Amino acid sequence: MNRARKIIHAEEAWVRGITGRGITAAVLDTGAAHHPDFADRLVCFRDFIGGRTSPYDDYGHGTHVTGILAGNGALSKNYRGIAPETRIVSLKVLDRNGNGRRGDVINGIRWVIRHREEYGIRVMNISVGTVKEGDSRDALLVQAVEEAWDAGLVVVVAAGNMGPMPQTITAPGNSRKVITVGSSDDSAPVYSGRGPTKNCVCKPDVVAPGSGIVSCSALWQRGQAYCRKSGTSMATPMVSGAAALLLSQEPWLTNVEVKMRLMETTDDLGRPHSRQGWGLLNIGRFCRIFLTNR
């Protein structure tokens, strides 16, 4: 995560004590291993695939995503997530191959809506998407994330890796309401999804680094504490982590205000809106850390 940190200035937030403390984020993915970088902040685990009660991740994707959002670098000190004191609710909605059913994802989303006050959940990260936009069943998935948004959650969703052609944003990232994240540094063979959506919604909303990101490995007990992965799945928790930082500093903000702050503080990369949205996430400006010298 070092390269990404230099780009989006997350380390400046930590220096000023903005670490996501007091905020809980829900991560819907393949689960989460009991990795030391976030294990003491994993406050709840729910398994919609196998019904197990103890945290686990039999694919590794969810552990990596969780580490980007909230890892504290306990096993390294060189690799730290964006919001290293944020609490995590992990929902396993994808199987050991990284695949899943829309119904399980929807059930996970609605579980978060029901339990958001119990666990203090303010942010929901969904680094999950359909194979391609357009399946009629996607409407139910989009409806579920919009229910979560309407309930007040900051819902952050991956744009998917189906680009570079137009109209390749995957559901539920094609929702008009949620924050859809693309990768700022995509390249073959993985391209960030491009807008607009088939319903002519301008997407993605924002981009963040997504290539070669180092984060927590589910195999940490076998001597592999960290690993590299690429895709919009990796870019998404950077934005979720940034939202957690902001809300820990300004907890009165609504999800709409968080989204508007994103729109106002990104760095323009000079690329088409269909590729970069508003631009590159800049946590310094997003959290108004540099307000006095800009």
Side-chain angles (χ1 to χ4, degrees), residues 21-252:
R21 180 179 298 176
I23 301 299
T24 304
V27 178
L28 281 69
D29 215 290
T30 61
H34 211 253
H35 197 288
D37 279 24
F38 54 76
D40 61 339
R41 288 172 289 111
L42 185 55
V43 297
C44 181
F45 175 80
R46 287 292 182 274
D47 182 5
F48 290 84
I49 303 299
R52 292 165 59 176
T53 57
S54 297
Y56 75 103
D57 182 359
D58 48 8
Y59 186 62
H61 188 274
T63 301
H64 196 274
V65 166
T66 302
I68 295 171
L69 197 165
N72 64 9
L75 289 185
S76 170
K77 306 303 181 185
N78 292 321
Y79 305 114
R80 181 156 49 172
I82 301 300
E85 292 192 36
T86 294
R87 297 185 298 265
I88 294 294
V89 169
S90 175
L91 287 80
K92 182 173 175 59
V93 296
L94 301 180
D95 64 22
R96 63 186 304 162
N97 297 311
N99 300 319
R101 297 175 296 185
R102 290 173 180 82
D104 290 328
V105 178
I106 291 170
N107 288 337
I109 293 168
R110 290 180 174 159
W111 185 96
V112 173
I113 295 171
R114 291 194 303 273
H115 295 275
R116 67 189 187 283
E117 294 183 0
E118 177 182 354
Y119 292 101
I121 301 169
R122 297 292 308 274
V123 180
M124 181 161 60
N125 187 97
I126 306 179
S127 291
V128 173
T130 56
V131 175
K132 62 180 180 179
E133 183 189 6
D135 191 300
S136 59
R137 295 170 295 176
D138 290 346
L140 295 175
L141 190 55
V142 171
Q143 179 183 339
V145 295
E146 293 188 347
E147 288 174 5
W149 184 269
D150 292 343
L153 292 164
V154 178
V155 184
V156 188
V157 181
N161 304 319
M162 303 296 291
M165 298 301 293
Q167 297 186 342
T168 51
I169 302 290
T170 57
N174 59 333
S175 163
R176 186 182 302 275
K177 294 183 177 182
V178 304
I179 298 169
T180 305
V181 184
S183 175
S184 60
D185 51 359
D186 62 349
S187 59
V190 178
Y191 282 101
S192 182
R194 306 287 204 265
T197 71
K198 293 184 183 298
N199 292 326
C200 297
V201 178
C202 293
K203 291 284 179 173
D205 296 304
V206 65
V207 293
S211 295
I213 306 300
V214 177
S215 184
C216 301
S217 170
L219 302 177
W220 69 273
Q221 290 181 307
R222 302 180 189 178
Q224 184 181 349
Y226 303 96
C227 61
R228 292 183 184 271
K229 293 184 184 293
S230 298
T232 59
S233 288
M234 285 63 252
T236 303
M238 293 194 182
V239 177
S240 295
L245 292 179
L246 177 60
L247 290 169
S248 70
Q249 182 176 254
E250 302 180 48
W252 53 85

